[in-house]
Amino acid sequence: MATQLVVDIHTHVYPPSYLAMLRARKTVPYVHDPAEGEPRLIILSSDDDPATPLDQRGRPVDTSYSDINVKLAFMEKHGIHCSVISLANPWLDFVPSPEAQQWAERINNDLDSTCAQVNQTSDPEGTKSATEKQTLFAFGALPLSAPSSVVVEEIKRLSTLPNIRGVIMGTSGLGKGLDDPALDAIWKALEETQLLLFLHPHYGLPDEAFGGPEAVSRYGHVLPLALGFPLETTIAVTRMLLSGVFDRFQELRVLLAHSGGTLPFLAGRIESCIMHERKFVVNGGDEPGPQRSIWDVLQTNIYLDAVIYGSAGLQAAVAAGSHDRLMFGTDHPFFPPLQDEDEKWPSVTTNYKAIRSCFGEEKADSIGMVLGSNANRVLKLGLE
Amino acid sequence: MATQLVVDIHTHVYPPSYLAMLRARKTVPYVHDPAEGEPRLIILSSDDDPATPLDQRGRPVDTSYSDINVKLAFMEKHGIHCSVISLANPWLDFVPSPEAQQWAERINNDLDSTCAQVNQTSDPEGTKSATEKQTLFAFGALPLSAPSSVVVEEIKRLSTLPNIRGVIMGTSGLGKGLDDPALDAIWKALEETQLLLFLHPHYGLPDEAFGGPEAVSRYGHVLPLALGFPLETTIAVTRMLLSGVFDRFQELRVLLAHSGGTLPFLAGRIESCIMHERKFVVNGGDEPGPQRSIWDVLQTNIYLDAVIYGSAGLQAAVAAGSHDRLMFGTDHPFFPPLQDEDEKWPSVTTNYKAIRSCFGEEKADSIGMVLGSNANRVLKLGLE
């Protein structure tokens, strides 16, 4: 039996130049170098709790964040043949224009050339099969603080770089969320280039949603990461839907992080609330409201990663979208093992296990699609 | 073939006395009587937008909210044999002590005697089968602003009322959320009486989570109801779990509204984040962290309603819990049809359809369990 192709479409990097920029900062996001021990990465506002000593804030940042060889070793250990790397949050959201434009070009060129080097080194003759070598592709970063025309130009440029297959974006857009009509030029450029938009959370929810800063702090990262992140994604994509983004840009393709946040589970409730909303024209109100069904959007425009750590969630993701729109991911280098650094990462094996148990032996084809062939097709990776 | 028993465990009432109390108020929650047309019910803070004319705020409130005969007609129309009615949000959360204690007793006695009257009228001889008559039970309300000892006494009293099968509660607890250790006496009383705790959202999320009041207002109730409500429930029950409530009260039984908010979908991610949290003792930190697995809690302590409006979400609910822990509900009198008032309510038929399509013909037994027999067993309704 041929080895099953495995593609990781949710895996992040902080290029050394980006980390250097963070190291020069003193407010979130920043890197702090303690007198002893590993540097600390403080990227979430909840990381920057003044009650926590500076040397203990955030999380330790080791070479897995920036050294591509560490990524390649991680891939080898976990049976991953191809990774589609993306800049980790918060991308360039905090970088003012015009620096953002320069940083986007620099990082995107870095990503593309890193992929090119790895691909060349791994298969110098171009003769190996996809499962005999290591292959990298990348999602680019956008300079969202720059004028729209600059962002559009960068999208067009990205579509010409050989190893770029999409862009990664947070939920703030130009600062007003993803239902901002000022984003239309960007949606249009993504639609025209058919670059996949990887929509990823970063900002979570206000502390008040969790009962205030003390309630959040008591449980470390659990509330912001386990709930804040997926809820942020759900809110962002729902606002896109409600404002008609998917009506105006019916060819826009969006990959939602963490299996859509909670979108597959809540899609029915969202649809029902739309049908019952007196404010929308169809019910006699003044607001247009979305024209297309959420189920149609889930099965036409939206792709989901399989980073959900359980077959219960995965079943909803399959049912709401389809087994051919779901793609394996790891979220590397986040969620490393805390106990035994040499073991396979439980955060990765849990997702492998969930995929296998969701489909079972009678649907083995679907397992292969989720693990690799969907990504190969959707992102036109050309892996054989 | 015998008629399938259908029990609605998520169906609300505002007794006339409660509506009178709301009518006397001018701040949320309140009832406003416009010069023309139906009274308006303004219960959510997002309903009370000063930019909306007072006569148009909130939602129209008709007799379906307070007239039990309207509820019985609704049941008849939708093939529901038994309803377990509960006070609608925000219950007595806003009522100060000692009035709260008086209101709880009054409302709980009202609910119990309404059930008794309906049950007596529907089957005066006590000879009809469960599917030939209409039966009511109720979840009681708690005076949470009163001292704990008073709340505990009310719980004990509720357990002696013949038609009460549990209590309904919001997510604020005593004002500090459901991970507040001051709630332990209440959890203990619920555990000892084996009254089911129906955990229901009301407060949603801060407007900022949705991009501010303007972003919320643009889409009417959609963001607060479709996302705010289920996310609130998810946060509340996760805080219970993280603080060890289910470790200390292993016999506590909790029914989560709206199929758990998003808990079934996110359970895997929550569990993974707990396993990776450096703050918890198991990982070398200072906080105890939860001792039991979330999957164990989902299959031991938690019950879910089937109010999720789609089979995708329902599949996750079944996989995370079990088909014998899921119970049909309608959320009546909310989400009435906006177009044709005589038709069956789409909000109800959507849930019926989701249950049938989730299980299919080969699992017809599971359909019957979800529609009625689970509720009959779990709540000891004695319907035959």
Side-chain angles (χ1 to χ4, degrees), chain B residues 156-197:
Chain B
K156 289 183 179 167
R157 193 181 77 86
L158 282 167
S159 73
T160 68
L161 297 183
N163 300 297
I164 301 290
R165 288 297 184 274
V167 299
I168 188 165
M169 193 191 279
T171 64
S172 67
L174 311 177
K176 294 181 180 175
L178 301 186
D179 54 0
D180 182 355
L183 285 162
D184 276 9
I186 295 171
W187 304 141
K188 184 160 177 280
L190 290 170
E191 195 178 45
E192 286 176 355
T193 56
Q194 278 294 292
L195 286 173
L196 189 70
L197 168 65

Side-chain angles (χ1 to χ4, degrees), chain B residues 322-343:
Chain B
S322 161
H323 65 286
D324 63 4
R325 310 183 69 79
L326 197 62
M327 298 182 265
F328 176 77
T330 62
D331 220 346
H332 182 262
F334 299 106
F335 304 112
L338 299 187
Q339 310 294 341
D340 177 1
E341 292 183 7
D342 292 330
E343 69 181 341

